[in-house]
Amino acid sequence: MFKHSQLESVKAWIAQPAQAGMPLHARIQRAIRQLILDGALGPGKPLPASRVLAKSLGVSRDTIEAAYGQLHAEGFIDRRVGSGSFVAEVKEFAPGRRLSPRRAQSPNQAAALSRRGNAMFGSGGVSEQLLPRPFAHGVPETRTFPLALWERLGRQVLRETGRRALLHGDPQGIEELRRAIADYVNLERGARTTAERVLILTSSQQALTLCANMLLDPGDRIFIEDPAYYGARKAFDAAGLECVPIRVDRHGIAVNQIKAETRKVKAVFLTPSHQFPAGATLTLDRRLALIEWASRHQSWILEDDYDSEFHYAGKPTACLQGLDPHDRTIYIGTFTKSLFPGLRIGYAVLPPELVKPMTVARTLLDGHSAPMAQMTLARFMEGGHFGAHVRTMRSIYADRLDLLAMLVIKHLPHFLEARVPDGGLQMPCALTGAISEAAAVDAARRVGIEIMGLSALHAGGKPEPGFLMGFAAYTPSEIEGAVRKLAGAFRAAATS
């Protein structure tokens, strides 16, 4: 028979809000199990008869029988015909060897992580806004995406492929999509590849993590742009690499600084088509010099071509990978910016000798990308819809960039200098001194506006204060309203 305190403990357990979604018999079973684990019910102790406990708890006898049945199945109690139910004689529950009561864990308590785990956790991760608001950067417009067309293509895939779309996919990615991507980057980006050299991934961030862990060892050096994309730096830091910052000017990364380095550096990461965050395009002479440096030192070039589809002043420059005759360049692309973030499909164009190792490594991360989304995207590209969508959005984004630049000049001349880029989804702005970068970011946030400060993206020197203003995902009226709010917030911050 339960003591009064034990009966009250069971009642309290089954009444907890956290247990509300659990069947009643399961709640009672777990309450009794916890009494056994905590040592409150010792080995050999009898449990109340099911009819008696049912009456005490105000439940049906069947409910108690179901709870006792589960406890018996899990080995916590013995059921003896004609005698009743008893706590099992398990040595772990014997006197002197009782399990210690569970201690409440504080969410702020430090976990015992590995060095790499601490590096990953300490980086803060790469967070994205679920519902972006002006002027969150790097977010495409999704409200005009041809969703009905996408749904129709998805239905075609299901009709024609049937269960194939429901099964595991090729870890390298389905051939149709790899072929479509190879055709696209060869034609539009000047790459040199085939479907056999394309690896489908969930994101460019996954590609960077793979490269950091497959091509370099902890302690190895990698050149990165200064300022640099924060997601890349965090991936490299988490892998234990030593990031060597190289300044960026209006012609891109300073390759002469790379060539002057006397220490062994095994890779360089850069965004040559549209440098993040400055917006510069790497000049041809620097591209060729970088390719020669990589070949001479047998180092890798990690080329992140994250938003080259959206170039507003002339034709975009051909990618580095297509210029590299030595196959030292890994080209990384994503559909997050060109289509929609929820698609979760990126890719890497690899040197032939890296395809199998990278594919095997990818299986250890998440196995494969969802076949259904890959098949639908392949048809979207093969049917010419991808190119048409990009052309449409390029025109829309160009208009929004022009509007944002005009509004900044009109409403924020005492605070900002707009640095209008040739492409991309965000515009860098330099602060002219009326308020600090930290004060600007804080003032914007207080009125519901997101801007990213530039100082944190720099590794050395004295960075020019400023921030990024994303424009692609916001309508003209949303952009104008947000600029006006920002102007008011900055004026209030400057006079406070």
Side-chain angles (χ1 to χ4, degrees), residues 181 184-185 189 198-208 269 302-309 319 330-338 344-350 377 386:
I181 289 172
Y184 168 73
V185 296
R189 302 297 301 119
V198 176
L199 173 62
I200 305 299
L201 299 165
T202 54
S203 64
S204 56
Q205 192 68 34
Q206 187 182 47
L208 294 173
F269 166 80
L302 309 184
E303 178 182 12
D304 186 357
D305 204 23
Y306 63 101
D307 67 358
S308 63
E309 289 86 1
C319 67
I330 297 169
Y331 178 90
I332 298 169
T334 178
F335 294 96
T336 296
K337 306 290 190 291
S338 54
R344 306 312 301 150
I345 293 181
Y347 59 92
V349 176
L350 302 169
L377 176 57
F386 178 71

